[in-house]
Amino acid sequence: MNYQEFCHQLIELVGGKENIQSVTNCMTRLRFKLKDRSIAKTEEIKDLPDVIDVVSNDVAYQVIIGTQVQDIRPEMNQILGLSGENVKSESGEKEKFVTMALRILSEAMGPILTPIMAAGLLAGILSLISLSGLVSAESSTYLILDAIRQSVFFFLPVLIAISFSRQLGVNEYLAVVIALTLMSESINGAKGLDFLGLKLPETTYSNSFFPIILSIIFMKYLTKALEKIIPKALQYFFNPVLILIITLPITLILFGPLGTYIGDGLNFVFDFIGNTFGSWSVVMLYAALQPFLITIGAGNFIIPIFMNSYATLGYDPVFTAAWIISDIAVCGAVMGYFFRSKDKKQKQLFGTTAFSAFMGVTEPAIYGVFVKYRRPYIAVMIGGGLGGLFAGLMKVVGYAPVGLFGLASFIGKDNYSNFYMMVIAVIIGFIGAGIAAFVLGIPDDDKVKEKQAVSVETGEEAVTKLLVKAPVKGTNVALSKVNDKAFSSSALGKGLGIEPEEDTIYAPVDGEVVSLFPTNHAIGIKTEYGVEILIHIGINTVELDGKHFESFVKQGDKVSAGDAILKANMAEIRNAGYDPVVITVITNTADYLDVLPSNDPSLNNEEDCLTVVV
C-alpha cells in the first residue's frame, strides 16, 4: 500500500470516515460525497504533497491528484471498507439508483468510445477512397468494410452491456444475452407484441441508448436479491435463468419505454435550445468552456448526451465538433505560449503539452499550463468560442465521436460542405487561441500563485518535465507491442521498446544506479528528482544467466547521460532464440502527470525517447 499514509491524512482532513458517504474517481481526481462539506479542511488538503488542487461544487467534493489516482482509490476503498462500486445513498432507493446511473455513465463510456471512434475513422477513410474513385461505394469491398461501421452502431447495446456489466459487477455474459435478445428480429422494432396478455410498446432497441443501461442496473439488484432468497446449493443452476426471465420482460415493459422517453427528452431539450437560441450557442459555449469543465471535473457530463444523439439521430449536432475545436484551441493556446516564451524549460513544457493536446490528450496542458498560468483559459474561450460559433452557424454535425485525426468522418455520406466548414472551424480555433495566448502573455513566475511541482526527496522546486534519452540506437517499438505482458500492459510503468542496432547500452539520464541484476540484463537508475528508470534488455533473457552481458557500472555508482553502462551481444542473444528488444520504462509513472514516448521511428542515444511530465 504505497499511499496508505496519504489516504489516512486525506480521510482525516475531509472529516473522517463518518463524513464520507461515497468516493469515486475519474482519470485525475477523487470525487467525495460528504455529509458536511463545511468541516473539510480544504486548504490543508491542498498542501498535501500528492494534491494538485481541490474543487468543491455541485458535482462533488473533488480532490485533483493526477493519474496516480488509479492506484490511490483501491487503497482508499480498503481503508474505508467500501465495495468496488463505492455506492452509498443518503436516503431512499430512488436517489441511490439515479446516483449509480450517473456515475457509471462516465466510468463505463471510455472502452465503448474506442470501437465507435474506430468506426468513425473508417467512415471517413471510406468517404475519401470513394471520392478518389479507387473503390466504388457500390462495390463489395466498400460494403464489407462499411459493415464494420454499421455493426458498431447497430450493436451498440451489446457494447454497452459488456462495459456497464463490468463496472457494476454483473455477469457480463447474461448482460450480453439480454442485449442480443433485445436486438433480435422478434423484438427489435417489432409491432403488436404482448407478454402474458400485456401489450408491449414498439421499441427499436438498436437506436436506443438507455434501456440496456437500466436493465443492467436492475440486474445488479436482482442478482443480490436472488442470492439472499435462493439456497446457495441451487444458485448456480437457477439464478442465471431467473435473472434472464425476470429482467427481459421488465425491460420490455418498463425500461424500453422509459429509456426511449429519456432519449427523446434529451433530443427535445436540444431542439428547444436550437429553435429558441440557436444550436450555435451551445457549440460556441462548450468549445469555449471545455478546459474549465475538465478542471472542475464536469467534462464527462456530455457523454450520455452525444451518445444518445448518435443512437437516435445517427449524428451529433453539437458536442463532437465543439470538443475537437476546443482541443485544438488548447493546442493553439499552448503553442502561443511556446512562441512567446524565451525560457528553455518553459518552451519544453509548452511544446510537449501542445503536442499532447494536438493528439487529443489535453490534460497535461490543462493541469501543467492552464491551472498554473490561468490566462490560457481566456485564450481558449476566445479561439474555441470563435471556432465553435462558426461551426454552429454553419450547422456542422459529427457522424462519429472522433478526434482531430478523424476529421474525414465529418464527410459522412458525401456531405463535403460539412467537412469543409469543420476544417475552417478548427483552423479558426487554433489560430484564434494561439494569437490570444501570445497577446495575453505569460505571467512572471513570482506572480504565479499556483503550487509548483516539488521534488519528493528534496522539497525544492523541481523541473516541470524530464527528458529521457534513448539507451541504445535502434527502431522505436510501442510498449504495447512488446512480447511481455508485464511490460506491454504498462503494469511496470509507461515507456517504450527499442529494437537494438548496436550492443552498447548508455545511461539515458543523470542519476544513480539503484539496482543492477546479477545477470546484468537489467538496470535501474534514479534521477535527483526521483524519477525511477528501468532498462531491461530482452525478453526472458534472465534465463541466459548473464551470458552475453557485461556491466561497466555497479550499484551505487553515479552516471551521466550518455555514459556506457552495459554491453550485450545482441547477435548472440538472437542466436540463442531470445528477443533482444531493449525496454525502457518509468517504474514510478504514477508519481507524475504523464509519461510520453517519442513518435520517432528510429532513435539513438543522443535523442530523447521519453518525456516525464511532472
Side-chain angles (χ1 to χ4, degrees), residues 1 7 11 14 16-25 30-35 72-89 96 103 220 224:
M1 298 183 68
C7 290
I11 290 170
V14 297
K17 291 183 180 181
E18 61 278 3
N19 194 41
I20 300 174
Q21 292 185 309
S22 68
V23 56
T24 59
N25 73 280
L30 287 170
R31 301 167 182 260
F32 288 94
K33 187 174 182 181
L34 304 177
K35 293 179 182 178
I72 292 175
R73 180 185 166 188
E75 295 191 18
M76 180 74 70
N77 290 351
Q78 185 174 341
I79 294 170
L80 293 174
L82 297 177
S83 65
E85 288 81 23
N86 280 337
V87 179
K88 290 185 178 180
S89 67
K96 183 176 182 180
R103 177 181 60 81
K220 175 183 176 64
K224 289 184 176 181

Side-chain angles (χ1 to χ4, degrees), residues 355-370:
F355 176 76
S356 177
F358 181 76
M359 299 300 292
V361 182
T362 57
E363 282 82 1
I366 291 173
Y367 293 115
V369 178
F370 282 47

Side-chain angles (χ1 to χ4, degrees), residues 1 62 152 364 403 430:
M1 298 183 68
Q62 303 169 70
V152 167
F430 179 80

Side-chain angles (χ1 to χ4, degrees), residues 36 431 556:
D36 184 359
I431 295 177

Side-chain angles (χ1 to χ4, degrees), residues 387-402:
L389 174 62
F390 180 84
L393 291 175
M394 296 298 104
K395 300 186 183 302
V396 173
V397 299
Y399 295 107
V402 294

Side-chain angles (χ1 to χ4, degrees), residues 477-498 517 521-523 532-542 579-587 589 610:
V477 179
L479 192 63
S480 60
K481 295 183 179 180
V482 171
N483 190 26
D484 186 307
K485 289 186 178 180
F487 288 107
S488 62
S489 65
S490 296
L492 297 177
K494 292 184 178 180
L496 50 62
I498 299 176
F517 283 77
H521 78 288
I523 188 171
E532 299 172 4
I533 302 165
L534 172 65
I535 302 172
H536 191 284
I537 305 172
I539 305 298
N540 296 325
T541 47
V542 66
D579 182 350
V581 62
V582 178
I583 304 163
T584 305
V585 297
I586 307 302
T587 56
T589 291
L610 296 175

